[in-house]
Amino acid sequence: MKKTSICMAVLAIVFSIASCSKSLRSDEAVSEDPADDRTATTEAPFGIAGFATQNGGTTGGQGGSTVTATTYAQLKSYLESSTTYIVRVDRRIYNGTKGGSINVNSNKTLLGVGTAGFLDGIGLNISSKRNIIIQNIKITLTSITDRSDPAVYDPDGDEGLPQIIVNGGDCIGIQGSSSNVWIDHCELYNTDPTVQTNKDLYDGLIDIKHTSQYITLSWNYFHDNHKTHLIGSSDSDISDRKLTFHHNYYRNIQSRLPLNRGGVAHVYNNYYNVIRGSGIDSRMGACVRVENNVFETVKSPVIASGSTLGKYQVIGNTFSGITGTAAPTTSTCTFTPPYSYSLDAASAVKSGVMSGAGIGKI
């Protein structure tokens, strides 16, 4: 998968290169035939795409000062400031066994340097903020090991199971009326769900709630956790959300990829490998466009559930190793994304995503 040096350079500076490579219009490649990849490209670019390009676009800290955070206190100060910043992280940042939570303010870019940017036990919370980019950062909550502080650990939890409650148990939580968020080339994980069997100890890797919308998650590596993306906190949390998930690598996860309530979601060119429960779960009238993804060893790749069933549009996906609910062969809804995007042939997704997703690739 080729990436031009021009696109790479511009991305590191301004994060707005959606036009660096030829894009496929959203009204093309809409065949319901899973084998019809004829209009797809194999050169999807690394620049911003999807719903984060809408509603005025997402530029993060572009135009602000570039700073480097070397401590938790510095990182928290820069990200929570009302000042526009590009905040670089070039090392592991750790806040002890109690962990930490940072409330990211509007007009920020958080950028890891090389493969060194690592938030170890530090979660990010985006609450009713806009225009935020999080890129090339590794995050886990596994170093939060304090079990004595009730602000850190709840031995009973919501459902009788122990929970880490720092940052709501999420690596990244997006809530309130947040909009225009782009999370790209990150790595988020906790522990192998077959080893750490408490499904509630950690919550989501990235959860999106309330009226948050115009969000793109791209080229991320999500692995080793029970829960990945909870969209809407419950079946009563229904909103006309607009979300894009593309070129993400999901491995050794139990479920919620995403569990999507209400609104529309465009899920394309993702690679799912060793998913032990449900993959895409459409609920509460949502319409999820599931396009040119690869599902490999996934128990139930695409389902509809909830007190009001969700719907899905299935186009050009490939499935193997299905042991639960069979993959759907017909669509129950349609929507046409309002943006242009580059679409890889399903046959190119596994190799392209495995080589391009995660940190150190931009």
Side-chain angles (χ1 to χ4, degrees), residues 248-260:
N248 298 293
Y249 180 15
Y250 296 99
R251 188 177 188 282
N252 196 27
I253 290 170
Q254 188 68 29
S255 63
R256 301 182 180 179
L257 300 121
L259 187 163
N260 196 90

Side-chain angles (χ1 to χ4, degrees), residues 76-96:
K76 189 174 180 69
S77 176
Y78 287 137
L79 291 180
E80 293 187 351
S81 169
S82 59
T83 303
T84 299
Y85 279 128
I86 298 172
V87 183
R88 299 167 74 253
V89 174
D90 61 1
R91 65 196 67 203
R92 172 184 181 246
I93 294 184
Y94 176 66
N95 192 45

Side-chain angles (χ1 to χ4, degrees), residues 28-356:
E28 297 175 359
V30 294
S31 171
E32 293 291 328
D33 180 0
D36 187 0
D37 289 333
R38 290 172 297 175
T39 58
T41 177
T42 57
E43 298 185 354
F46 277 171
I48 188 169
F51 275 113
T53 66
Q54 306 295 287
N55 192 42
T58 305
T59 57
Q62 180 180 334
S65 300
T66 298
V67 295
T68 300
T70 60
T71 66
Y72 174 70
Q74 283 184 342
L75 183 65
K76 189 174 180 69
S77 176
Y78 287 137
L79 291 180
E80 293 187 351
S81 169
S82 59
T83 303
T84 299
Y85 279 128
I86 298 172
V87 183
R88 299 167 74 253
V89 174
D90 61 1
R91 65 196 67 203
R92 172 184 181 246
I93 294 184
Y94 176 66
N95 192 45
T97 60
K98 294 181 185 294
S101 177
I102 295 176
N103 296 311
V104 183
N105 212 335
S106 299
N107 306 312
K108 298 291 184 296
T109 293
L110 173 61
L111 176 65
V113 178
T115 60
F118 181 21
L119 306 189
D120 193 0
I122 297 166
L124 302 176
N125 180 51
I126 301 170
S127 183
S128 297
K129 305 300 179 184
R130 73 175 316 276
N131 192 33
I132 293 166
I133 295 171
I134 300 170
Q135 194 169 46
N136 202 40
I137 290 285
K138 181 165 63 174
I139 305 175
T140 184
L141 302 185
T142 55
S143 65
I144 302 176
T145 57
D146 189 306
R147 298 295 184 261
S148 61
D149 187 341
V152 173
Y153 177 79
D154 182 350
D156 298 320
D158 294 336
E159 298 181 6
L161 295 173
Q163 288 180 300
I164 298 296
I165 57 176
V166 176
N167 206 57
D170 299 331
C171 287
I172 301 177
I174 305 172
Q175 58 189 319
S177 58
S178 298
S179 67
N180 294 92
V181 178
W182 180 31
I183 301 174
D184 176 69
H185 278 97
C186 293
E187 179 181 353
L188 286 79
Y189 66 96
N190 285 309
T191 58
D192 184 340
T194 66
V195 175
Q196 193 294 107
T197 57
N198 174 7
K199 66 182 179 65
D200 289 342
L201 183 62
Y202 307 101
D203 203 44
L205 297 179
I206 300 178
D207 282 359
I208 303 169
K209 302 174 183 177
H210 310 134
T211 60
S212 297
Q213 59 179 332
Y214 296 106
I215 296 167
T216 295
L217 277 56
S218 60
W219 295 102
N220 300 292
Y221 178 29
F222 300 104
H223 62 100
D224 294 291
N225 202 47
H226 285 270
K227 308 169 186 178
T228 315
H229 310 309
L230 180 69
I231 312 303
S233 58
S234 69
D235 281 357
S236 63
D237 181 7
I238 306 169
S239 176
D240 186 21
R241 284 176 281 260
K242 298 172 177 64
L243 312 174
T244 302
F245 305 81
H246 75 87
H247 291 93
N248 298 293
Y249 180 15
Y250 296 99
R251 188 177 188 282
N252 196 27
I253 290 170
Q254 188 68 29
S255 63
R256 301 182 180 179
L257 300 121
L259 187 163
N260 196 90
R261 295 180 171 101
V264 295
H266 187 194
V267 181
Y268 71 93
N269 283 162
N270 300 285
Y271 174 47
Y272 299 86
N273 179 240
V274 189
I275 308 304
R276 303 180 186 280
S278 59
I280 297 167
D281 182 354
S282 184
R283 298 190 181 189
M284 307 311 295
C287 182
V288 182
R289 180 177 172 120
V290 185
E291 184 174 17
N292 284 30
N293 302 280
V294 174
F295 298 86
E296 189 175 89
T297 315
V298 178
K299 183 177 180 180
S300 300
V302 182
I303 65 171
S305 68
S307 54
T308 299
L309 291 179
K311 300 178 181 182
Y312 41 73
Q313 181 179 10
V314 287
I315 307 168
N317 304 285
T318 65
F319 306 90
S320 62
I322 309 307
T323 59
T325 303
T329 57
T330 58
S331 299
T332 57
C333 70
T334 60
F335 90 89
T336 300
Y339 46 78
S340 296
Y341 58 103
S342 294
L343 184 68
D344 287 342
S347 59
V349 166
K350 178 177 178 177
S351 60
V353 168
M354 288 183 71
S355 65

